[in-house]
């Protein structure tokens, strides 16, 4: 089914409910599996990188579950964390953000080693994991909180904004005719501007692979990315690589909720038929007794 709400969002499944129907299926290190050599590697390897020279990038990509999945597989990325950015309200909560009660966007904070992956390379993969033509949100998620954006740090990483603007300009030059809706939004530092999302959102795709796979497939993310970027460029960008368990099978987390009303309806119908049959039988016996009494014959029953 599809839902509409949360500040205009149209989603395949309501993620606020899915968050409370989760089953932990393993940690990053337990679920990680080495990928083929190249831009990406397993997150278990990335997690061992030294933290002294790490830098951060904050990117809004629509659903932050999908943002984590896309960015945590990049070689040199230590971690990606779900959160909220771009609003003036302090300590925003998930339901407030998605229902439009704050001015935040769902975003992902990426911690990476610049010696292994550059900021512009992070942006290369960012672009190819979003639909930059969508002004209303991303994929099936619609509403201001799901718009795409690059939040560039003007204080601790002052080179980010020029790099971000250049990447957008280069993309526009490479894709003439595209109306790129993704904004580059300067911010004065990550602290105080990026707020971590609730714990149940962190690493959702790893903790709940089947529910996540169902959501991602139903939301049409991969199909849309292949359409926007073209199959060849999407494959060349390795945007389809993931730390998601290869055993993940799309399973509707609301299947029981959907089936219960139908089962309940059938059960009620069955009980109604039984009640009708019982009443009809009693009525028949009572009629036969009355007829027997009228004829002077006593019936036993």
């Amino acid at each position: 089914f599809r839902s509409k709400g949360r500040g205009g969002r149209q989603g395949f499944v309501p993620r606020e409910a899915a968050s409370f129907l989760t089953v932990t299926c393993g940690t990053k290190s337990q679920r990680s599996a080495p990928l083929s050599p190249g831009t990406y590697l397993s997150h278990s390897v990335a997690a061992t990188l030294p933290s002294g020279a790490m830098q951060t990038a904050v990117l809004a990509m629509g659903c932050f579950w999908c943002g984590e999945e896309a960015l945590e597989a990049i070689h040199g990325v230590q971690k990606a964390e779900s959160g909220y950015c771009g609003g003036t309200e302090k300590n925003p909560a998930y339901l407030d953000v998605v229902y439009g009660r704050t001015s935040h966007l769902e975003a992902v904070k990426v911690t990476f080693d610049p010696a292994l992956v550059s900021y512009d390379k992070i942006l290369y993969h960012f672009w190819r994991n979003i639909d930059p033509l969508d002004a209303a949100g991303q994929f099936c998620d619609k509403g201001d909180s799901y718009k795409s954006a690059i939040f560039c740090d003007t204080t601790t990483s002052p080179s980010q904004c020029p790099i971000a603007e250049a990447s957008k300009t280069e993309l526009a030059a490479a894709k003439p005719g595209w109306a790129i809706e993704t904004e580059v939004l300067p911010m004065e530092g990550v602290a105080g501007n990026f707020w971590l999302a609730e714990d149940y959102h962190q690493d959702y795709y790893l903790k709940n692979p089947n529910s996540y796979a169902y959501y991602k497939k139903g939301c049409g993310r991969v199909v849309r990315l292949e359409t926007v970027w073209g199959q060849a460029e999407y494959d060349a960008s390795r945007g389809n690589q993931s730390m998601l368990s290869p055993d993940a099978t799309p399973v509707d987390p609301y299947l029981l909720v959907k089936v219960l009303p139908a089962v309940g309806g059938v059960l009620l119908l069955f009980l109604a038929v039984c009640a009708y049959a019982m009443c009809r039988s009693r009525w028949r016996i009572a009629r036969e007794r009355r007829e027997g009494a009228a004829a002077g014959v006593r019936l036993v029953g």
Side-chain angles (χ1 to χ4, degrees), residues 48-147:
T48 65
L49 299 172
S51 58
M54 290 296 172
Q55 294 184 7
T56 58
V58 178
L59 306 168
M61 308 171 66
C63 167
F64 45 31
W65 297 347
C66 300
E68 280 195 25
E69 181 201 9
L71 298 175
E72 282 194 330
I74 299 175
H75 177 72
V77 169
Q78 186 184 53
K79 60 181 177 179
E81 299 168 283
S82 292
Y84 315 107
C85 195
T88 58
E89 300 82 2
K90 297 182 181 297
N91 298 308
Y94 177 64
L95 292 182
D96 289 331
V97 172
V98 297
Y99 277 114
R101 294 193 286 263
T102 78
S103 49
H104 295 84
L105 277 65
E106 285 197 12
V108 177
K109 183 176 73 172
V110 185
T111 303
F112 64 96
D113 185 346
L116 295 176
V117 59
S118 62
Y119 180 64
D120 62 338
K121 180 60 73 172
I122 296 287
L123 294 181
Y124 170 85
H125 292 290
F126 159 78
W127 287 115
R128 286 155 185 81
N129 277 281
I130 66 166
D131 177 1
L133 309 179
D134 192 342
Q138 286 291 293
F139 311 102
C140 70
D141 295 316
K142 303 303 181 186
D144 289 344
S145 64
Y146 292 103
K147 291 182 178 180

Side-chain angles (χ1 to χ4, degrees), residues 59-248:
L59 306 168
M61 308 171 66
C63 167
F64 45 31
W65 297 347
C66 300
E68 280 195 25
E69 181 201 9
L71 298 175
E72 282 194 330
I74 299 175
H75 177 72
V77 169
Q78 186 184 53
K79 60 181 177 179
E81 299 168 283
S82 292
Y84 315 107
C85 195
T88 58
E89 300 82 2
K90 297 182 181 297
N91 298 308
Y94 177 64
L95 292 182
D96 289 331
V97 172
V98 297
Y99 277 114
R101 294 193 286 263
T102 78
S103 49
H104 295 84
L105 277 65
E106 285 197 12
V108 177
K109 183 176 73 172
V110 185
T111 303
F112 64 96
D113 185 346
L116 295 176
V117 59
S118 62
Y119 180 64
D120 62 338
K121 180 60 73 172
I122 296 287
L123 294 181
Y124 170 85
H125 292 290
F126 159 78
W127 287 115
R128 286 155 185 81
N129 277 281
I130 66 166
D131 177 1
L133 309 179
D134 192 342
Q138 286 291 293
F139 311 102
C140 70
D141 295 316
K142 303 303 181 186
D144 289 344
S145 64
Y146 292 103
K147 291 182 178 180
S148 61
I150 301 171
F151 292 97
C152 53
D153 188 351
T154 60
T155 55
T156 57
S157 302
S159 63
Q160 282 192 355
C161 287
I163 294 174
E165 291 287 3
S167 72
K168 183 176 179 179
T169 300
E170 291 171 4
L171 179 61
K175 303 290 185 180
W178 273 22
I180 299 175
E181 302 292 345
T182 305
E183 294 185 278
V184 176
L185 303 174
M187 64 178 180
E188 296 181 355
V190 176
N193 289 297
F194 178 87
W195 304 88
L196 278 177
E198 294 79 354
D199 287 343
Y200 57 81
H201 286 302
Q202 307 300 331
D203 299 316
Y204 185 89
Y205 78 100
L206 292 172
K207 297 173 183 176
N208 309 279
N210 295 339
S211 295
Y212 172 75
Y214 177 82
Y215 161 76
K216 183 180 177 181
K217 180 179 180 180
C219 204
R221 194 177 188 97
V222 173
V223 173
R224 178 59 181 165
L225 289 174
E226 291 174 342
T227 301
V228 171
W229 294 97
Q231 187 71 55
E233 184 168 359
Y234 180 70
D235 289 343
S237 73
R238 301 179 69 85
N240 57 346
Q241 294 291 343
S242 170
M243 293 305 302
L244 183 64
S245 169
D247 299 326

